[in-house]
Amino acid sequence: MTIPQIKNYTEKEGTTLLPEKFSICPQLSADSDIFYQYIRKYKPNARLSKAEGKVIYDNTLEAEEYRITVSDSVTIYASGNISLNHAFASLVQLTDSNGALKKCEISDKPDFPYRSFMVDVGRQTHPIKYI
C-alpha cells in the first residue's frame, strides 16, 4: 500500500530488483540521488540489479501524472519533475526490504490541481466573501 493510494495498479507475475541507476531523459532536470538516499535509509538491506532503469518524458500525461512499468527493468514515464518525484516515492514504498519489486504497471495522478491549503481563522478572521 502506498500513501497516497495509487489510482491504477496492475500486478504481474514475478519480481525484479530495483535498478542501481536510472537514465533520466534530458527534458527532466530531476536527479535520482534523493531516491537512492531514501532507499538506503528505509531499505538498508535492499539489493540492486545491474540493469539500468529508464525515465522517459511524456508530454501526453497531465500535470503530476506518471506511469511506471516494472518488468525485468523499471521504466518511469513522467510529465515533469514533480511527477517523477511522486513516481520515485511510490517505488520506495513498493520495494520490499530486500530491494525486490513485484512486476506491475502503475498509473497515477492527483485528483485535484492543488495538494491542499489552509486558512487560519483562529488567529485572523476573514469574512466568508473573502474565503
Side-chain angles (χ1 to χ4, degrees):
M1 182 172 154
T2 60
I3 300 173
Q5 189 170 358
I6 293 170
K7 301 266 181 290
N8 297 303
Y9 176 88
T10 305
E11 193 170 304
K12 308 286 183 182
E13 193 171 315
T15 61
T16 191
L17 292 175
L18 279 174
E20 67 180 13
K21 74 178 207 172
F22 278 93
S23 152
I24 299 179
C25 64
Q27 293 93 332
L28 300 171
S29 62
D31 192 333
S32 59
D33 288 346
I34 292 174
F35 170 69
Y36 288 107
Q37 287 173 14
Y38 278 116
I39 289 295
R40 286 190 290 278
K41 181 176 181 178
Y42 296 110
K43 317 280 180 166
N45 298 323
R47 296 173 297 138
L48 303 176
S49 77
K50 297 292 183 189
E52 183 175 78
K54 293 181 186 170
V55 176
I56 298 169
Y57 173 72
D58 186 344
N59 64 359
T60 65
L61 298 174
E62 295 178 24
E64 299 187 31
E65 183 177 6
Y66 66 89
R67 288 184 297 123
I68 303 172
T69 301
V70 179
S71 55
D72 292 332
S73 63
V74 178
T75 304
I76 299 172
Y77 300 88
S79 62
N81 292 322
I82 294 171
S83 60
L84 178 56
N85 287 332
H86 293 317
F88 280 151
S90 294
L91 282 177
V92 169
Q93 294 179 68
L94 293 169
T95 304
D96 74 11
S97 60
N98 296 316
L101 274 167
K102 290 183 179 178
K103 293 183 179 182
C104 64
E105 290 185 12
I106 296 169
S107 63
D108 194 27
K109 65 180 179 179
D111 288 329
F112 304 102
Y114 55 87
R115 294 290 174 185
S116 66
F117 72 95
M118 183 182 114
V119 178
D120 186 357
V121 295
R123 291 179 276 194
Q124 177 69 40
T125 59
H126 301 286
I128 297 287
K129 269 186 163 179
Y130 179 78
I131 297 173

